[in-house]
Amino acid sequence: MKKLILFLFLLLIIVSASYPQRIAPAATQDSAVMLIGTIHVGNGQVIANGAVIFDQGKITYAGEAANAPKVNGKMKVINAAGAQIYPGIIAPNTYLGLAEIDLVRATNDYGETGIFNPGVRSLIAYNTDSKIIPTVRSNGVLLVQAVPQGGTVSGASSIMQLDAWNWQDAVYKEDDGIHLNWPSFFNFQFNDGAATVSVNEDYEKQVNEIRSYFIQARAYNENAMHAERNINFEAVKNILAGNKKIFIHCEYVKEIMNAVSFAKDFRLKMVVVGGRDTYMCTDILKENNVPVILGDVHALPQGEDVEVHIPYSKAALLQKAGVLYCLSVSGSWQQRNLPFMCGTTVAYGITKEDALKSITSNTAKILGIDDVTGTVEAGKDANLVISSGDLLDMKTNAVQFAFIQGRQINLDNSQKQLYATYMKKFGLK
């Protein structure tokens, strides 16, 4: 028996050694850093011959290199030829860190049983050891909104930074809002590849159940004494008070309009997530100051009567209408494609600097973190990405350096390690 245990222990060591190892998070910034290059501020402004100085995790200067102040003490200078300096990309509406292998249930922790779960908190399930996280930040994504899935009310999301030892270290903004999956107005059935669409006959009933739940939650929170504690009702208190946002996932025109009406009735700060048809109801969104986290740009048009370019041009239509929006992509590892989806909108009516806003400053505004990140400006956290090419172009995107709160993070990942291993194996490197 002892020999068997020893054999299994040695086997575990050998197998572990053969796989890419965990990349240690960066240490706290210990000296000032100056970056020299073209600064894409994230608010539409570009500074061609710019310099960014940051110390103790905060940007102290961002402007013309010629006007950069002198810094007392040690300072590291990064002057990469042709460097493009960007704010770190922020990915909303993702379950990165909550799922590792989609088809292996044991690696996924993004959903809870039950229908109404506002008390669920995604941050405590967030896995900083995920092998996916380093592959995502290698393309410039430094912050994510980790969102629980499933049910009608999925729970509370949190903003997480992508270089940490544990979830406590990773939290950037705790419990930023609650996510509500609005009932679909349609039912879809797929048989042998053919789709059958019908009206959801239970739609009104399901909407009334949501209204009833929030009425009960409001009544509960208006009373100081309770015979029995309800943590789910308590979790809704800040939403009902307008202190936090409610992210309502809905797609079609009727759903969006009903969701906006619901939010008005309960005086909720609402954000539309997904928003397939938001370009068709921009008036009501603008009138009610409702921002949009737009779903996948790289998608097929849904419906035979929908123009083929609509998924790509929705961003331009929302911007033209004056609706605040940002971009998202579903899933976990897919977040690394977010800058390229942003680049696609440039080909359909958005300028490059306005497109950059949709994955940086606009996202920060919608998530309520624009006071500390989203742009390259003095006083904000040094969440920065330096690329030798265009960050939004998959042909030239080449992230050379990345900093989260001033810490220079390791851009290595398991895919790079495996690439190097097999290049060496076949004598190609």
Side-chain angles (χ1 to χ4, degrees):
M1 185 65 180
K2 290 183 179 179
K3 289 182 178 181
L4 177 61
I5 293 173
L6 179 61
F7 171 75
L8 292 174
F9 178 71
L10 292 173
L11 181 63
L12 177 63
I13 293 174
I14 293 169
V15 171
S16 299
S18 66
Y19 281 90
Q21 300 302 301
R22 199 228 203 263
I23 298 169
T28 303
Q29 183 182 5
D30 60 1
S31 65
V33 177
M34 174 188 281
L35 310 176
I36 298 175
T38 300
I39 305 173
H40 302 264
V41 178
N43 60 5
Q45 183 184 6
V46 178
I47 304 172
N49 299 304
V52 180
I53 301 174
F54 53 94
D55 194 9
Q56 298 181 2
K58 293 287 184 179
I59 299 172
T60 58
Y61 176 80
E64 297 287 344
N67 300 327
K70 292 183 179 180
V71 174
N72 295 326
K74 185 174 67 172
M75 182 169 71
K76 179 180 179 181
V77 178
I78 299 176
N79 187 358
Q84 309 293 309
I85 304 169
Y86 299 89
I89 296 172
I90 308 167
N93 188 36
T94 171
Y95 51 79
L96 178 66
L98 305 179
E100 193 71 6
I101 304 170
D102 286 346
L103 296 179
V104 180
R105 181 66 185 90
T107 70
N108 301 328
D109 195 11
Y110 51 71
E112 187 59 84
T113 57
I115 305 300
F116 293 95
N117 295 307
V120 167
R121 306 170 73 210
S122 66
L123 80 170
I124 60 174
Y126 186 79
N127 175 25
T128 54
D129 291 331
S130 170
K131 291 288 194 296
I132 302 172
I133 289 173
T135 70
V136 168
R137 68 190 188 197
S138 294
N139 266 5
V141 179
L142 304 185
L143 299 173
V144 299
Q145 181 193 35
V147 177
Q149 311 289 310
T152 298
V153 179
S154 303
S157 59
S158 288
I159 315 300
M160 316 297 283
Q161 55 93 355
L162 300 187
D163 187 59
W165 287 108
N166 49 50
W167 69 261
Q168 292 94 334
D169 294 340
V171 174
Y172 199 79
K173 183 177 181 180
E174 183 177 319
D175 299 336
D176 65 296
I178 284 177
H179 292 255
L180 166 61
N181 298 303
W182 198 259
S184 175
F185 187 67
F186 298 102
N187 287 325
F188 297 90
Q189 291 184 336
F190 298 91
N191 294 309
D192 297 326
T196 302
V197 182
S198 60
V199 174
N200 177 11
E201 295 181 357
D202 293 326
Y203 177 76
E204 295 297 336
K205 176 185 175 183
Q206 292 165 353
V207 170
N208 287 333
E209 287 175 352
I210 293 172
R211 286 182 170 274
S212 176
Y213 186 85
F214 275 78
I215 289 170
Q216 293 176 58
R218 183 170 60 189
Y220 175 93
N221 285 297
E222 286 174 350
N223 294 318
M225 302 296 291
H226 305 286
E228 185 176 339
R229 185 183 180 189
N230 189 316
I231 60 171
N232 282 321
F233 284 165
E234 289 177 7
V236 181
K237 183 176 182 178
N238 282 322
I239 303 297
L240 292 168
N243 298 326
K244 292 187 178 180
K245 296 179 180 179
I246 184 166
F247 296 87
I248 303 184
H249 298 242
C250 49
E251 301 291 347
Y252 298 95
V253 171
K254 185 176 178 64
E255 298 166 15
I256 295 167
M257 294 181 70
N258 289 164
V260 171
S261 177
F262 162 77
K264 283 180 66 176
D265 290 346
F266 286 89
R267 298 181 180 179
L268 310 178
K269 290 183 179 178
M270 170 190 173
V271 178
V272 169
V273 183
R276 171 190 179 273
D277 285 351
T278 47
Y279 71 99
M280 299 171 64
C281 47
T282 54
D283 288 347
I284 190 171
L285 295 173
K286 186 176 180 181
E287 178 186 342
N288 291 281
N289 195 29
V290 176
V292 177
I293 298 178
L294 199 58
D296 296 357
V297 170
H298 291 176
L300 294 172
Q302 294 186 355
E304 296 178 356
D305 58 341
V306 178
E307 295 182 45
V308 70
H309 63 80
I310 285 297
Y312 314 131
S313 58
K314 269 187 279 192
L317 295 171
L318 289 176
Q319 179 170 299
K320 185 178 179 181
V323 176
L324 178 63
Y325 77 95
C326 67
L327 300 183
S328 70
V329 53
S330 59
S332 54
W333 64 265
Q334 296 91 334
Q335 306 309 313
R336 65 189 179 194
N337 293 325
L338 187 56
F340 309 139
M341 292 191 179
C342 179
T344 298
T345 67
V346 175
Y348 288 84
I350 303 287
T351 67
K352 280 191 177 181
E353 298 310 314
D354 280 340
L356 180 63
K357 292 179 187 178
S358 69
I359 55 173
T360 57
S361 59
N362 283 4
T363 314
K365 288 177 185 175
I366 291 171
L367 299 183
I369 54 175
D370 55 307
D371 58 330
V372 291
T373 193
T375 56
V376 185
E377 295 179 289
K380 293 195 175 181
D381 287 349
N383 300 327
L384 303 163
V385 174
I386 298 90
S387 173
S388 60
D390 187 344
L391 191 68
L392 309 185
D393 179 9
M394 66 176 64
K395 287 185 177 181
T396 61
N397 173 305
V399 175
Q400 298 174 304
F401 304 95
F403 300 84
I404 296 178
Q405 295 174 312
R407 298 176 295 111
Q408 184 175 345
I409 65 173
N410 190 334
L411 292 176
D412 196 11
N413 61 56
S414 59
Q415 294 180 358
K416 289 181 179 179
Q417 292 170 14
L418 289 171
Y419 174 80
T421 297
Y422 286 99
M423 288 289 283
K424 183 177 181 180
K425 172 181 171 63
F426 293 107
L428 300 174
K429 189 175 181 180

